[in-house]
Amino acid sequence: MAAARRPLLAGNWKMNGLSTSIAELARIIEGFDAALSARVDLLVCPPATLIAAFAERAKGCKVAIGAQDCHFEAAGAFTGDLSAEMLRDAGASAVIAGHSERRAGHGESDLLVRAKAEAALRAGLLAIVCVGETKAEREAGRTLEVVGRQLAGSVPDQATPQGLVLAYEPVWAIGSGLTPTPADVIEVHAMLRAELARRFGEKARATRILYGGSVAPRNAAGLLKAAEVDGALVGGASLKASEFLSIAKVYLET
Ligand code: 13P
């Protein structure tokens, strides 16, 4: 990982958490001490119902709060949706766009994901754009092609290293306990970085590329210390402060 890229550990709580979960956030905040916050950025993305309360609790602390999805419009007749502006107003500073659970479960296309990422940039939120291949695509040797196409279609032209983070999340690794080898991750991240550089020039080298999919304390060191890996998007293990913080502690090891 290049020195210019500060690692980011982002927790995606998915559809988990009730108002009582603020106690878990408090444990994350308490454990994220000066030594850790000197080394890594920490972000918690709870369900939208908890963003305002979490942001209030995290005020003045080093832990940032994010959202898991947004609509691409700023306001209007979109029942049940939330705009990037609303999420920012509630205290979020980041939003995930194009998670595979939304691509697959809600039919989100690259074009829609791109519009959501544009909305995030418009609202001043960090956009975390997700890409990743299915098991069948990997087995067919199509990983780089699929992920490259998602990158091309989902990343807005106005993306900057400050405004956008990429997350490589192989669909088959999510929630399965399976992970690619560090070498496999490096191969994909290097391709993503080369594509970013081709499209955005040298400044793209400052863009952070996270790995996501079954990151846990037992495998975090191998995955997060791999070249080209600038942090992780963590699902299940981010729900428990002890596990999330023990992943962050990888960055204390030299
Ligand atoms: P798990 O860490 O539970 O595999 O989830 C990964 C993920 O989808 C994060 O966005």
Side-chain angles (χ1 to χ4, degrees):
M1 195 208 59
R5 297 194 299 267
R6 191 176 146 81
L8 168 65
L9 195 61
N12 175 7
W13 279 27
K14 308 190 179 184
M15 198 171 74
N16 296 291
L18 298 170
S19 53
T20 49
S21 308
I22 199 136
E24 206 61 41
L25 174 71
R27 283 190 278 276
I28 293 173
I29 289 171
E30 279 153 28
F32 192 55
D33 59 18
L36 274 175
S37 62
R39 298 286 183 100
V40 56
D41 290 339
L42 207 71
L43 172 71
V44 175
C45 301
T49 47
L50 296 178
I51 289 172
F54 273 33
E56 186 61 31
R57 177 63 185 78
K59 206 175 264 176
C61 306
K62 298 277 189 200
V63 176
I65 304 301
Q68 300 171 15
D69 180 42
C70 67
H71 196 277
F72 59 88
E73 293 284 4
F78 302 102
T79 302
D81 282 313
L82 296 170
S83 71
E85 283 77 1
M86 290 168 170
L87 298 169
R88 173 147 183 162
D89 186 52
S93 57
V95 62
I96 299 168
H99 190 280
S100 66
E101 286 153 16
R102 296 211 57 90
R103 288 178 184 266
H106 296 262
E108 294 195 3
S109 64
D110 287 333
L111 198 65
L112 180 60
V113 174
R114 184 187 191 118
K116 291 181 176 204
E118 284 169 356
L121 296 171
R122 179 188 70 216
L125 297 179
L126 177 73
I128 303 176
V129 173
C130 303
V131 297
E133 83 286 0
T134 62
K135 185 164 183 284
E137 288 162 344
R138 175 160 283 269
E139 285 171 355
R142 295 181 50 222
T143 298
L144 296 182
E145 169 211 327
V146 167
V147 169
R149 193 182 60 232
Q150 290 174 333
L151 170 70
S154 307
V155 171
D157 289 333
Q158 64 270 46
T160 64
Q162 294 71 41
L164 185 120
V165 167
L166 266 187
Y168 168 53
E169 295 207 307
V171 177
W172 53 272
I174 295 174
S176 64
L178 303 173
T179 58
T181 64
D184 288 338
V185 176
I186 290 168
E187 182 188 28
V188 175
H189 281 219
M191 183 278 286
L192 292 172
R193 193 169 302 291
E195 277 303 304
L196 286 173
R198 203 177 52 77
R199 190 158 152 206
F200 296 101
E202 276 307 300
K203 75 175 163 67
R205 304 229 166 261
T207 303
R208 292 178 288 186
I209 306 179
L210 313 183
Y211 167 76
S214 293
V215 175
R218 67 181 160 78
N219 60 25
L223 290 164
L224 301 192
K225 295 247 167 141
E228 300 291 337
V229 176
D230 306 312
L233 185 52
V234 183
S238 72
L239 292 167
K240 287 219 64 88
S242 56
E243 290 189 29
F244 197 38
L245 291 165
S246 100
I247 294 169
K249 282 178 188 150
V250 163
Y251 292 105
L252 293 179
E253 299 157 16
T254 48

Short mmCIF file of all heavy atoms in Angstrom, two decimals, residues 12 14 96 99-101 130 169 173-177 212-215 233-237, ligand 1:
data_model
loop_
_atom_site.label_atom_id
_atom_site.label_comp_id
_atom_site.label_asym_id
_atom_site.label_seq_id
_atom_site.Cartn_x
_atom_site.Cartn_y
_atom_site.Cartn_z
N ASN A 12 -20.05 -2.51 6.96
CA ASN A 12 -21.38 -2.49 6.36
C ASN A 12 -22.29 -3.37 7.21
O ASN A 12 -22.18 -4.59 7.16
CB ASN A 12 -21.28 -3.02 4.92
CG ASN A 12 -22.63 -3.16 4.25
OD1 ASN A 12 -23.65 -2.74 4.80
ND2 ASN A 12 -22.66 -3.76 3.08
N LYS A 14 -25.38 -3.83 6.91
CA LYS A 14 -26.50 -4.41 6.14
C LYS A 14 -27.81 -4.22 6.93
O LYS A 14 -27.95 -3.21 7.59
CB LYS A 14 -26.20 -5.86 5.78
CG LYS A 14 -24.82 -6.00 5.12
CD LYS A 14 -24.54 -7.34 4.53
CE LYS A 14 -23.16 -7.34 3.88
NZ LYS A 14 -22.83 -8.58 3.19
N ILE A 96 -22.38 3.76 0.41
CA ILE A 96 -22.01 2.63 -0.45
C ILE A 96 -22.92 2.67 -1.68
O ILE A 96 -24.13 2.93 -1.55
CB ILE A 96 -22.20 1.29 0.31
CG1 ILE A 96 -21.29 1.25 1.55
CG2 ILE A 96 -21.92 0.10 -0.60
CD1 ILE A 96 -21.61 0.10 2.52
N HIS A 99 -23.52 -2.14 -4.07
CA HIS A 99 -23.20 -3.39 -3.38
C HIS A 99 -23.85 -4.54 -4.14
O HIS A 99 -24.94 -4.39 -4.69
CB HIS A 99 -23.72 -3.34 -1.93
CG HIS A 99 -23.20 -4.48 -1.12
ND1 HIS A 99 -23.75 -5.74 -1.20
CD2 HIS A 99 -22.16 -4.57 -0.25
CE1 HIS A 99 -23.07 -6.55 -0.39
NE2 HIS A 99 -22.11 -5.85 0.19
N SER A 100 -23.20 -5.69 -4.16
CA SER A 100 -23.73 -6.80 -4.97
C SER A 100 -25.11 -7.24 -4.50
O SER A 100 -25.91 -7.75 -5.29
CB SER A 100 -22.78 -7.99 -4.96
OG SER A 100 -22.69 -8.53 -3.67
N GLU A 101 -25.41 -7.02 -3.20
CA GLU A 101 -26.75 -7.39 -2.72
C GLU A 101 -27.80 -6.47 -3.31
O GLU A 101 -28.98 -6.84 -3.42
CB GLU A 101 -26.77 -7.38 -1.19
CG GLU A 101 -26.02 -8.60 -0.65
CD GLU A 101 -25.41 -8.41 0.73
OE1 GLU A 101 -25.79 -7.46 1.43
OE2 GLU A 101 -24.55 -9.23 1.09
N CYS A 130 -18.94 -0.43 -5.33
CA CYS A 130 -18.58 -1.84 -5.23
C CYS A 130 -18.61 -2.54 -6.60
O CYS A 130 -19.51 -2.29 -7.41
CB CYS A 130 -19.55 -2.58 -4.32
SG CYS A 130 -19.67 -1.89 -2.67
N GLU A 169 -15.42 -6.63 -4.14
CA GLU A 169 -16.08 -7.64 -3.30
C GLU A 169 -16.54 -8.80 -4.19
O GLU A 169 -17.62 -8.72 -4.81
CB GLU A 169 -17.31 -7.04 -2.61
CG GLU A 169 -17.00 -5.95 -1.63
CD GLU A 169 -18.08 -5.85 -0.55
OE1 GLU A 169 -19.27 -5.75 -0.88
OE2 GLU A 169 -17.73 -5.91 0.62
N ALA A 173 -17.48 -14.52 -2.18
CA ALA A 173 -16.75 -14.42 -0.90
C ALA A 173 -17.60 -13.76 0.19
O ALA A 173 -17.24 -13.81 1.36
CB ALA A 173 -15.46 -13.63 -1.10
N ILE A 174 -18.70 -13.15 -0.21
CA ILE A 174 -19.51 -12.39 0.76
C ILE A 174 -20.32 -13.34 1.64
O ILE A 174 -21.10 -14.15 1.13
CB ILE A 174 -20.44 -11.40 0.03
CG1 ILE A 174 -19.60 -10.33 -0.68
CG2 ILE A 174 -21.43 -10.77 1.00
CD1 ILE A 174 -20.40 -9.37 -1.54
N GLY A 175 -20.07 -13.26 2.92
CA GLY A 175 -20.85 -14.05 3.89
C GLY A 175 -20.63 -15.54 3.80
O GLY A 175 -21.35 -16.32 4.43
N SER A 176 -19.63 -15.98 3.05
CA SER A 176 -19.44 -17.41 2.81
C SER A 176 -18.30 -18.00 3.64
O SER A 176 -18.17 -19.22 3.73
CB SER A 176 -19.12 -17.65 1.33
OG SER A 176 -17.90 -17.02 1.01
N GLY A 177 -17.45 -17.13 4.19
CA GLY A 177 -16.25 -17.64 4.86
C GLY A 177 -15.13 -17.94 3.87
O GLY A 177 -14.01 -18.25 4.27
N GLY A 212 -13.40 -6.58 0.03
CA GLY A 212 -14.51 -7.00 0.88
C GLY A 212 -14.94 -8.42 0.57
O GLY A 212 -14.90 -8.86 -0.59
N GLY A 213 -15.39 -9.14 1.62
CA GLY A 213 -15.86 -10.51 1.46
C GLY A 213 -15.21 -11.39 2.49
O GLY A 213 -14.04 -11.76 2.37
N SER A 214 -15.99 -11.70 3.56
CA SER A 214 -15.53 -12.61 4.63
C SER A 214 -14.24 -12.17 5.31
O SER A 214 -13.46 -13.01 5.76
CB SER A 214 -15.39 -14.04 4.10
OG SER A 214 -16.66 -14.56 3.76
N VAL A 215 -14.01 -10.85 5.37
CA VAL A 215 -12.85 -10.37 6.14
C VAL A 215 -13.16 -10.59 7.62
O VAL A 215 -14.24 -10.24 8.11
CB VAL A 215 -12.57 -8.88 5.87
CG1 VAL A 215 -11.43 -8.38 6.78
CG2 VAL A 215 -12.21 -8.65 4.40
N LEU A 233 -13.94 -3.52 3.24
CA LEU A 233 -15.36 -3.33 3.49
C LEU A 233 -15.81 -4.61 4.19
O LEU A 233 -15.76 -5.69 3.60
CB LEU A 233 -16.10 -3.10 2.16
CG LEU A 233 -17.58 -2.78 2.21
CD1 LEU A 233 -17.88 -1.61 3.15
CD2 LEU A 233 -18.09 -2.45 0.81
N VAL A 234 -16.20 -4.47 5.43
CA VAL A 234 -16.43 -5.63 6.30
C VAL A 234 -17.91 -5.75 6.61
O VAL A 234 -18.53 -4.78 7.04
CB VAL A 234 -15.63 -5.48 7.61
CG1 VAL A 234 -15.79 -6.71 8.50
CG2 VAL A 234 -14.16 -5.20 7.34
N GLY A 235 -18.48 -6.92 6.42
CA GLY A 235 -19.88 -7.15 6.75
C GLY A 235 -20.02 -7.69 8.17
O GLY A 235 -19.91 -6.95 9.15
N GLY A 236 -20.24 -8.99 8.27
CA GLY A 236 -20.54 -9.64 9.55
C GLY A 236 -19.60 -9.26 10.69
O GLY A 236 -20.05 -8.99 11.81
N ALA A 237 -18.30 -9.21 10.41
CA ALA A 237 -17.34 -8.95 11.48
C ALA A 237 -17.36 -7.50 11.96
O ALA A 237 -16.74 -7.18 12.97
CB ALA A 237 -15.93 -9.34 11.04
P1 13P B 1 -19.08 -10.24 4.92
O1 13P B 1 -17.87 -9.55 5.53
O2 13P B 1 -20.13 -10.57 5.91
O3 13P B 1 -18.67 -11.36 4.04
O4 13P B 1 -19.76 -9.13 3.96
C1 13P B 1 -18.97 -8.44 3.07
C2 13P B 1 -19.77 -7.36 2.49
O5 13P B 1 -20.68 -7.58 1.72
C3 13P B 1 -19.46 -5.99 2.90
O6 13P B 1 -20.10 -5.06 2.10
#
